[in-house]
């Protein structure tokens, strides 16, 4: 049976691993499953460290298994890829490539709290 959301919440369709809802003008993400607190801490560190130098939403608050971030107005990239106009999909894919390249050029030391020792910032499931 589906979870009932309060009147001011809307389930977002592309929260694949975690429950992602719109609450007023914020996005609320509840982390589920193994290592949920670790995954939340890494995402909060990434959003906090990258905000202002890479297009990510501003993190607003967090608790051990949830995160609130500013809502970013726009259309999800997967919806654009599914659009019948192929030039729109090409634009999304070019933008993904450009952003992925920009992400790997960010100095990891400017994003404190990320795990690992690699010389680049990576995103484990980068996509549209």
């Amino acid at each position: 049976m589906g979870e009932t959301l309060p009147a001011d919440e809307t389930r977002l369709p592309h929260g694949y691993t975690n429950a992602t809802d719109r609450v007023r003008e914020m996005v609320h993400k509840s982390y589920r499953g193994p290592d949920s607190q670790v995954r939340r801490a890494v995402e909060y560190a990434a959003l906090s460290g990258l905000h202002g130098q890479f297009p990510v939403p501003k993190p607003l608050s967090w608790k051990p298994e949830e995160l609130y971030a500013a809502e970013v107005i726009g259309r999800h990239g997967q919806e654009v890829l599914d659009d019948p106009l192929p030039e729109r999909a090409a634009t999304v894919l070019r933008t993904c490539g450009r952003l992925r390249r920009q992400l790997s050029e960010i100095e990891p030391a400017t994003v404190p709290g990320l795990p690992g020792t690699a010389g680049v910032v990576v995103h484990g499931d980068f996509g549209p």
Side-chain angles (χ1 to χ4, degrees):
M1 181 162 281
E3 187 178 339
T4 302
L5 299 173
D8 64 349
E9 289 188 31
T10 304
R11 176 84 63 220
L12 296 174
H14 299 290
Y16 303 111
T17 304
N18 306 295
T20 308
D21 309 301
R22 179 182 299 115
V23 182
R24 293 174 290 285
E25 292 155 7
M26 299 178 290
V27 171
H28 171 247
K29 193 171 192 179
S30 297
Y31 295 77
R32 309 247 167 104
D35 302 327
S36 60
Q37 291 183 14
V38 171
R39 289 184 288 113
R40 194 268 325 137
V42 169
E43 186 158 4
Y44 184 79
L47 294 178
S48 297
L50 291 170
H51 185 72
Q53 63 175 333
F54 192 75
V56 297
K58 180 180 180 180
L60 302 173
S61 69
W62 61 273
K63 294 179 184 174
E65 293 180 355
E66 64 183 13
L67 171 75
Y68 284 88
E71 181 179 20
V72 175
I73 303 301
R75 194 167 166 212
H76 193 281
Q78 187 59 54
E79 293 170 10
V80 180
L81 289 177
D82 294 339
D83 193 295
L85 298 174
E87 61 271 13
R88 290 185 181 162
T91 298
V92 167
L93 295 173
R94 274 193 301 278
T95 302
C96 282
R98 180 179 51 80
L99 290 171
R100 215 280 313 137
R101 189 172 43 256
Q102 284 178 323
L103 182 62
S104 67
E105 293 170 355
I106 293 173
E107 175 58 44
T110 67
V111 190
L114 294 183
T117 58
V120 297
V121 176
V122 296
H123 187 293
D125 63 350
F126 193 86

